[in-house]
Amino acid sequence: MSDTTLYDRLGGRDGIRAVVDDFYDRLVADDELGPFFEDADMEGLRKTQTDFLCEAAGGPESYDAAPVREAHLHVPFTPDHIQRAVDLLYESLDAFDVPEEDAETVVEAVAAHEADLLASPDDE
């Protein structure tokens, strides 16, 4: 891999936003996951996910939204839901010809928050 950052290899903010937009289009259209987004502020989600991935990829943006756990406590995700979302993320990354190693790094950044995504208010 070259000396460029993951952020640069993904095309900076614009490239990451394009992948995020594709990913959220897939999430919303998915029979299993789409219902979670029926009343969601999609533009807000796209922006915060873009900021999150930009920061995780070494870009200058900062993720300053609610902590992942807090933001998802009301969402009854299961491990199967998380796996489906990961599959869709891989599809989006592949659609933009992101190399496998870089795609793995992006997915790992998201997967690192699996416990927070699966948390429920009962866990408090």
Side-chain angles (χ1 to χ4, degrees):
M1 208 48 60
S2 71
D3 290 338
T4 61
T5 65
L6 177 60
Y7 179 83
D8 292 329
R9 292 193 304 274
L10 293 172
R13 182 174 187 81
D14 290 342
I16 291 170
R17 176 61 190 246
V19 171
V20 167
D21 283 342
D22 185 86
F23 174 56
Y24 274 95
D25 289 347
R26 292 172 192 270
L27 288 172
V28 169
D30 188 77
D31 291 338
E32 188 177 340
L33 298 176
F36 289 117
F37 299 95
E38 286 177 356
D39 297 321
D41 170 8
M42 293 308 298
E43 182 53 34
L45 288 174
R46 290 169 191 263
K47 181 193 177 307
T48 57
Q49 186 66 38
T50 300
D51 289 346
F52 172 81
L53 289 177
C54 284
E55 182 179 297
E61 293 82 0
S62 295
Y63 175 79
D64 61 359
V68 174
R69 179 185 176 87
E70 180 182 318
H72 293 85
L73 277 177
H74 69 285
V75 184
F77 286 137
T78 66
D80 287 342
H81 292 133
I82 302 300
Q83 184 57 55
R84 179 68 184 140
V86 165
D87 293 344
L88 293 174
L89 180 55
Y90 274 121
E91 288 177 19
S92 292
L93 292 161
D94 187 53
F96 285 87
D97 299 319
V98 174
E100 186 176 333
E101 184 177 333
D102 288 344
E104 287 292 328
T105 301
V106 170
V107 170
E108 286 171 11
V110 175
H113 295 279
E114 182 175 7
D116 292 330
L117 292 168
L118 293 172
S120 74
D122 298 337
D123 297 338
E124 300 286 300

